[in-house]
Amino acid sequence: MQDTEFRTTDSDIQEESGQQAELPVIPGKRYFTIGEVSELCQVKSHVLRYWEQEFSKLKPVRRRYYRRQDVLLIRQIRSLLYAQRYTIDGARVHLRGEAQKQDSSKYNQLILQMIAKLEDVLDTLDGIPRF
């Protein structure tokens, strides 16, 4: 009988419970090479290069050095494509919608902060005696 090494393929990413396979912890570095990102995200480097063409948000800096936010985005893309079974187009649309939600959420947070500050000003003005 021949000894074979167990290798995880893209089709093995989902376990029976539907959970995504555990990915390695992202080290506290500023930049990552394509090889490091490939290992951190369990995606081959040629797939990363393809995703760079397909997802405009994925833009590594000079000579394919990825930032932490790029690694997180790649993990999100990987999850959308492999675990949630989105198509490339569907993942692109989903990510675009997520960006709009985040922008909207940021604006909502700013508005709530401004309201809180204005209420503080009103409370301060109410405490000042009028002549």
Side-chain angles (χ1 to χ4, degrees):
M1 185 161 178
Q2 186 176 0
D3 286 335
T4 58
E5 185 178 326
F6 177 75
R7 296 177 194 259
T8 303
T9 63
D10 290 345
S11 61
D12 296 329
I13 289 175
Q14 285 185 326
E15 299 172 349
E16 289 180 20
S17 64
Q19 296 295 322
Q20 194 171 0
E22 281 295 316
L23 295 174
V25 174
I26 303 171
K29 294 174 53 175
R30 187 173 180 136
Y31 296 106
F32 301 91
T33 65
I34 193 167
E36 291 170 327
V37 175
S38 177
E39 289 178 16
L40 289 170
C41 298
Q42 296 178 352
V43 176
K44 295 185 180 191
S45 56
H46 70 271
V47 174
L48 293 173
R49 287 190 292 273
Y50 175 71
W51 287 356
E52 288 173 22
Q53 296 171 9
E54 294 297 321
F55 296 95
S56 60
K57 293 173 92 177
L58 184 57
K59 295 285 184 206
V61 292
R62 60 186 175 94
R63 297 181 58 205
R64 288 214 170 84
Y65 281 103
Y66 295 85
R67 296 163 296 190
R68 182 179 194 79
Q69 67 191 37
D70 294 324
V71 175
L72 294 172
L73 177 60
I74 290 167
R75 286 184 171 192
Q76 186 178 10
I77 292 169
R78 178 185 184 273
S79 174
L80 289 170
L81 296 176
Y82 297 157
Q84 298 176 40
R85 313 304 272 166
Y86 277 72
T87 62
I88 294 279
D89 287 335
R92 196 179 302 122
V93 168
H94 180 82
L95 289 172
R96 203 173 306 131
E98 286 293 316
Q100 290 172 351
K101 285 180 191 174
Q102 288 176 355
D103 288 346
S104 175
S105 176
K106 287 178 187 175
Y107 291 130
N108 288 340
Q109 289 175 1
L110 286 172
I111 290 169
L112 291 174
Q113 289 173 355
M114 289 173 61
I115 290 171
K117 287 181 182 181
L118 288 171
E119 287 174 345
D120 288 343
V121 169
L122 283 175
D123 289 342
T124 303
L125 290 175
D126 285 341
I128 298 175
R130 297 185 186 160
F131 297 99

